[in-house]
Amino acid sequence: MTEPAPPGGRRKQRQNLTDIGPDRPPGGVASRPLLVLAQLVAAWAAGSVFLPTAWLVLLAVLFAGDEAVLLAAAALGVAALLGYLVIVIRATRGVSVLGATRGGRFLWALLVLGLGTAGWTLGWVVTDVAGLGVSRDLLLTAVLGGVPYALVAGTLLRGWRHKGVALGLGVALLGAGVAVLRQEPPDDLEARLAAGDLHRETAYVVAVPGYRPDDRDYGGGLGGSGFTPADPAAIPPDRYVRIVAYDRLLPGAAVCGQPTAQDADLPTGSCTAEPGGLVHRQGPVEHGYQVRVGRRYVTVVGSTAVPRDLLRSAARSLRPATARELGDQEQTGDYYAARVPGYTPQLMGIPAGLVYTPSDHTGNGGQSVHITLSVSQADDDLCYLTEKCTPVGSGLTYVRREDTHGYAVRRGTVTVQVLGGLRVDAKPLRQAALDARPATDDELRRLLPPLEPRTPLDRLRRWLRTF
């Protein structure tokens, strides 16, 4: 028979069994500060001594030019560092939550190696981005290089006091690193300007009441190039008449009994036969006629803003274009003209023909109400190709060209011009010229798209800026 254990024996036995558990090492962490310190210093040495030495060896092998030897040396270095950490945890297992078992100790070595190296790499990148120059100082590299390894080891110690300190320091350093990486590089804006073919000295912005930017939109109504009326109803319709001749018909394409010229750009919505053999063809945006003149099939097509009577009159007055109407273009039999009161003809390239636009330039669609901000070097001739160029005070010069007018003002080494179509009142053009100013850095960043990432670090920094 066995004697019963004394009253305190069972408690002592249970205490011996639980002392090796994850929460209570023999004597407690507080009673073994030297062992805690030894583990942290040994983990710190992995990044401060072992890793820099391994990098120097790898660089020497790299310069030797043997790739196989380099890979072998890298694998040997990783294995050696892992073995070193296994020895560290075996010697200090009593102060770690993973020190009780062989598998736990190997996991500790893997975590310290993996997470410590990740932190070491991140720290290297962050200090370089911040311009601290740590990577160029051997002493700072040695002192700070082991910090990530020591912090990982600290989070795996027994006792929440040590874990809390290590975890708090780790989170603080990680947060500071993320804050640094989220910042745009100092030369990022200059690179984006170069990629967008935009020059800072000519990048001006202005807001025009009642208009919205249709190009170089900086946000908040600010634009740096073209402006269109915000109300679509304020944009007058285009007015033009197009006259083109064709030499053959398209089989089986008769409209209201009239054949259709092959390749002709004729409206196809509806048709109406008119007295005298004319057939009016109506589409959603254009309408017109097709007339046979000799061996040619000539189309007279205009926008829906052009009256039907005007197109009909033009169709009945078709004739070969004169040398005056053609200018330097030789008459090949493909050019026909007509009598279109209030309109001026111009040559078209493809298809060959003439296009008539309003002679006064005031009703030619969106162009007549469009506004443009442009900036050029101040030494350019401001009055070149103008019909009117008159100083009007406040540093402003009123300029008028064939189909635009507006104001120009010199700003240092550049000249700022705000020109609009002839339907635009001069007052908003004058105010816009006075209000135009250089774009700020923040406005340029809003305008210019970010650069495409070229390296993993670029991709990481771009991803961090999305939060």
Side-chain angles (χ1 to χ4, degrees):
M1 294 182 62
T2 59
E3 295 184 4
R10 292 186 183 275
R11 289 194 299 270
K12 186 174 182 180
Q13 186 179 19
R14 285 196 298 269
Q15 180 180 356
N16 291 336
L17 292 174
T18 56
D19 279 346
I20 60 173
D23 296 323
R24 296 182 62 189
V29 173
S31 65
R32 307 185 67 176
L34 292 180
L35 197 58
V36 172
L37 179 62
Q39 185 185 94
L40 295 180
V41 170
W44 169 85
S48 293
V49 178
F50 199 107
L51 195 61
T53 304
W55 274 116
L56 292 176
V57 173
L58 290 177
L59 286 175
V61 175
L62 178 63
F63 284 121
D66 193 330
E67 183 176 350
V69 175
L70 176 64
L71 293 176
L76 182 61
V78 172
L81 182 55
L82 185 61
Y84 166 77
L85 291 173
V86 169
I87 294 173
V88 170
I89 185 59
R90 285 186 62 185
T92 61
R93 60 183 178 273
V95 296
S96 174
V97 295
L98 297 177
T101 64
R102 181 178 300 176
R105 291 191 290 271
F106 187 72
L107 177 60
W108 182 94
L110 286 177
L111 289 174
V112 173
L113 175 61
L115 297 179
T117 303
W120 182 88
T121 305
L122 181 63
W124 185 291
V125 170
V126 168
T127 54
D128 273 1
V129 168
L132 300 180
V134 173
S135 61
R136 296 185 295 274
D137 190 310
L138 293 180
L139 179 59
L140 286 177
T141 300
V143 172
L144 301 179
V147 171
Y149 296 86
L151 288 177
V152 175
T155 60
L156 300 176
L157 288 171
R158 295 178 184 272
W160 284 106
R161 183 179 61 183
H162 297 285
K163 291 180 183 178
V165 172
L167 190 60
L169 288 175
V171 170
L173 291 175
L174 181 62
V178 169
V180 170
L181 292 179
R182 289 186 75 252
Q183 299 299 318
E184 290 186 350
D187 58 348
D188 179 78
L189 181 56
E190 297 302 325
R192 289 163 67 178
L193 286 167
D197 195 23
L198 191 64
H199 301 281
R200 185 188 293 270
E201 60 271 15
T202 58
Y204 273 66
V205 297
V206 73
V208 183
Y211 280 74
R212 58 175 178 80
D214 56 21
D215 186 22
R216 293 189 185 177
D217 189 347
Y218 289 83
L222 291 171
S225 184
F227 297 83
T228 300
D231 182 7
I235 304 175
D238 286 331
R239 291 194 295 160
Y240 58 85
V241 177
R242 206 169 50 242
I243 299 178
V244 182
Y246 302 90
D247 58 2
R248 66 189 68 183
L249 296 174
L250 182 63
V255 175
C256 285
Q258 182 186 59
T260 300
Q262 185 171 330
D263 299 327
D265 188 15
L266 281 166
T268 58
S270 62
C271 62
T272 304
E274 296 183 354
L278 291 176
V279 174
H280 179 255
R281 307 190 187 204
Q282 180 70 53
V285 295
E286 292 183 333
H287 65 135
Y289 296 88
Q290 176 183 287
V291 180
R292 181 166 183 173
V293 181
R295 301 175 64 179
R296 303 279 182 166
Y297 302 91
V298 184
T299 60
V300 180
V301 177
S303 66
T304 53
V306 178
R308 181 171 173 177
D309 291 343
L310 186 63
L311 290 181
R312 183 188 302 115
S313 174
R316 289 175 174 171
S317 63
L318 285 170
R319 55 174 173 75
T322 64
R324 180 179 180 182
E325 291 166 326
L326 294 177
D328 296 334
Q329 176 62 47
E330 180 184 358
Q331 176 58 276
T332 61
D334 296 323
Y335 296 94
Y336 284 77
R339 185 173 57 83
V340 188
Y343 286 72
T344 302
Q346 292 179 336
L347 284 171
M348 288 196 314
I350 302 176
L354 293 179
V355 60
Y356 288 75
T357 56
S359 301
D360 60 5
H361 303 284
T362 59
N364 196 12
Q367 178 188 354
S368 64
V369 291
H370 192 261
I371 294 177
T372 302
L373 166 65
S374 62
V375 183
S376 60
Q377 294 300 319
D379 55 0
D380 293 342
D381 186 0
L382 184 61
C383 297
Y384 180 65
L385 294 179
T386 60
E387 297 179 354
K388 188 175 183 180
C389 185
T390 307
V392 293
S394 302
L396 292 169
T397 299
Y398 176 77
V399 295
R400 174 169 178 144
R401 296 186 170 89
E402 185 180 46
D403 53 7
T404 59
H405 74 134
Y407 292 86
V409 59
R410 295 193 186 277
R411 301 280 178 82
T413 61
V414 299
T415 297
V416 179
Q417 292 191 68
V418 179
L419 302 178
L422 297 182
R423 283 182 176 266
V424 181
D425 187 71
K427 185 176 180 180
L429 298 176
R430 183 181 187 277
Q431 190 61 48
L434 292 173
D435 293 343
R437 58 169 177 79
T440 65
D441 286 355
D442 288 340
E443 290 164 347
L444 289 170
R445 289 189 179 96
R446 286 200 300 267
L447 171 72
L448 297 167
L451 297 174
E452 288 297 321
R454 293 174 294 178
T455 65
L457 176 60
D458 292 338
R459 285 188 284 271
L460 172 63
R461 300 185 70 179
R462 183 172 180 177
W463 177 74
L464 290 174
R465 284 194 288 268
T466 61
F467 295 97

